[in-house]
Amino acid sequence: MRPYRICLLPGDGIGPEVVEAAVEVLQALPLSLEFLQAEIGFGAYQRLGTPLPESTLEAIRQTDATLFGAVTTPPNLPGYFSPVVQMRQRLDLYANLRPIRSLPHPSSRPGIDFLIVRENTEGLYSGIERLEENGQRAITERVITRRGSERILRKGFELARQSGRKTLHVVHKANVLRQTCGLFRQVALEIATQYPEIELREMLVDTCAMELIRAPQQFEGIVTTNLFGDILSDEACMLVGGLGVAASANIGDGIGVFEPVHGSAPTLAGSGKANPTATLLATVMMLEYLGENECAQHLRRAIETCLASGQVTPDLGGDLTTSQMTRAVKRLL
Ligand code: NAI
Ligand code: MG
């Protein structure tokens, strides 16, 4: 069989450190892999004049899967754009999947296992913004389409069906955002009729933010729009160990980009304090996507055993460096 071709996007800050950890662990698995490295982020902008070169998009399209670290996005640079949002839109990676699952570590609450399915290409991140009245009035347009809602809601119901879940929370704010959330909600009610075995539960986004803290065990799946999903998933990952352990997948038609939820953590860069777990769990998701379920389970068990043994980085109360924790996971493989 031909080797899997994996595109690596290390990016900025701790991105290269955590991607290197993933490569080290992947190379310890019984898989035939070929790596192709491409540029993204602020460093790429300084070297090449763009944070997202066309050659990077091409590399993602041509490989079997992509592993992405993180980028630094300076907020005040005129004309600069976030290459992450841009990449998701250009490659139409419409589904952002963020599993929230208890881990065997004191920083994680027990009994939690749900998936956040976040729309990844439109909503408040549609990129349509302008200033009016001499800069005294700022406007961002929130775009919700029937097509965009249909495909993300279908994805949510399909994944719930595949994993035998009984309920799916559709999270919106249709009582106030009557048009945009109204359309999303309407499409949800329509799609739900095709999945009679799954109970659709509607929840307003502010209630959901509260319920995630109060009683997170009630959730099996959440499907929601872009900004709501962004915020709720960062909140939810704090239930199970924080940003250092939160993984995600960006899925389009025939394209998968896997990444930690965290950013480039500039203050940690070069210190050896970055927790590699988020990227290693993103690697597990990538292996599942490639159909390598045995390797995926094997890696997940090694990560969980490592966490349970207390061989962890400072964010989880340990004193291991990124590479020491990576080696510990490797030994457990
Ligand atoms: P961040 O996720 O980089 O850091 C937030 C906090 O979590 C910091 O205290 C950091 O030290 C900690 N943290 C993050 N990852 C960690 C890890 N692996 N191990 C241990 N601790 C970790 O978010 P922040 O500080 O808001 O943003 C920093 C930069 O990252 C900004 O330029 C932002 O635009 C960018 N960013 C990029 C993302 C991406 O590439 N997908 C996502 C979020 C932010
Ligand atoms: Mg975020």
Side-chain angles (χ1 to χ4, degrees):
M1 212 184 94
R2 77 169 176 88
Y4 289 113
R5 301 187 69 223
I6 308 295
C7 176
L8 301 176
L9 304 178
D12 305 312
I14 62 170
E17 300 164 37
V18 293
V19 168
E20 190 190 314
V23 170
E24 227 184 293
V25 165
L26 276 170
Q27 283 172 332
L29 290 167
L31 290 170
S32 172
L33 302 166
E34 234 172 53
F35 296 103
L36 173 70
Q37 192 155 316
E39 296 257 18
I40 192 167
F42 190 56
Y45 173 79
Q46 289 170 317
R47 285 186 292 275
L48 309 164
T50 168
L52 185 63
E54 288 299 319
S55 56
T56 295
L57 293 171
E58 210 33 52
I60 298 171
R61 287 193 195 99
Q62 279 176 7
T63 44
D64 298 310
T66 295
L67 200 56
F68 168 44
V71 295
T72 298
T73 299
N76 300 320
L77 196 64
Y80 193 83
F81 56 87
S82 160
V84 183
V85 174
Q86 188 89 193
M87 170 179 70
R88 291 167 178 164
Q89 288 173 351
R90 289 281 308 273
L91 297 172
D92 207 20
L93 304 172
Y94 64 90
N96 191 322
L97 311 181
R98 298 188 164 184
I100 306 292
R101 206 170 149 170
S102 293
L103 289 167
H105 189 272
S107 61
S108 170
R109 294 206 217 168
I112 297 172
D113 182 5
F114 61 90
L115 178 68
I116 298 185
V117 178
R118 160 190 169 192
E119 203 292 321
N120 215 19
T121 56
E122 54 182 36
L124 211 53
Y125 293 174
S126 60
I128 306 172
E129 293 194 294
R130 62 183 178 277
L131 287 175
E132 294 179 351
E133 297 172 12
N134 278 327
Q136 299 311 296
R137 191 176 146 86
I139 296 172
T140 299
E141 289 185 16
R142 183 169 195 257
V143 179
I144 299 286
T145 64
R146 171 168 281 275
R147 171 176 173 267
S149 302
E150 261 172 19
R151 62 184 183 174
I152 197 66
L153 286 155
R154 194 171 298 286
K155 183 67 118 186
F157 277 101
E158 278 301 321
L159 291 170
R161 176 176 275 174
Q162 276 166 32
S163 49
R165 313 232 171 187
K166 305 265 178 294
T167 63
L168 180 63
H169 280 80
V170 172
V171 174
H172 58 70
K173 187 80 184 179
N175 55 335
V176 178
L177 302 170
R178 303 185 76 85
Q179 300 305 331
T180 49
C181 275
L183 178 57
F184 187 76
R185 173 178 182 272
Q186 177 57 36
V187 174
L189 297 177
E190 289 167 22
I191 303 258
T193 61
Q194 296 161 31
Y195 298 85
E197 79 277 24
I198 299 164
E199 181 195 336
L200 177 156
R201 294 194 180 161
E202 284 186 66
M203 194 176 266
L204 297 178
V205 63
D206 41 356
T207 306
C208 183
M210 175 197 64
E211 288 294 324
L212 278 172
I213 307 282
R214 192 187 68 83
Q217 292 85 356
Q218 73 185 285
F219 294 101
E220 293 184 282
I222 290 175
V223 57
T224 190
T225 49
N226 205 339
L227 172 73
F228 294 168
D230 191 4
I231 298 171
L232 293 177
S233 58
D234 271 30
E235 179 192 354
C237 79
M238 290 312 297
L239 299 166
V240 294
L243 279 175
V245 302
S248 71
N250 302 273
I251 305 292
D253 289 325
I255 306 186
V257 176
F258 301 82
E259 56 167 321
V261 170
H262 64 72
S264 62
T267 56
L268 296 186
S271 70
K273 288 187 179 149
N275 189 341
T277 306
T279 311
L280 296 181
L281 288 172
T283 306
V284 170
M285 295 179 82
M286 181 177 83
L287 291 170
E288 286 168 346
Y289 170 83
L290 292 171
E292 294 292 340
N293 293 319
E294 216 167 295
C295 280
Q297 288 323 308
H298 192 49
L299 177 54
R300 185 190 298 283
R301 274 195 300 273
I303 297 165
E304 292 189 349
T305 308
C306 187
L307 291 169
S309 73
Q311 302 177 79
V312 292
T313 45
D315 58 309
L316 296 182
D319 57 7
L320 264 57
T321 64
T322 312
S323 52
Q324 285 170 335
M325 186 170 177
T326 305
R327 276 200 298 277
V329 172
K330 238 170 86 176
R331 273 197 301 276
L332 291 163
L333 286 172

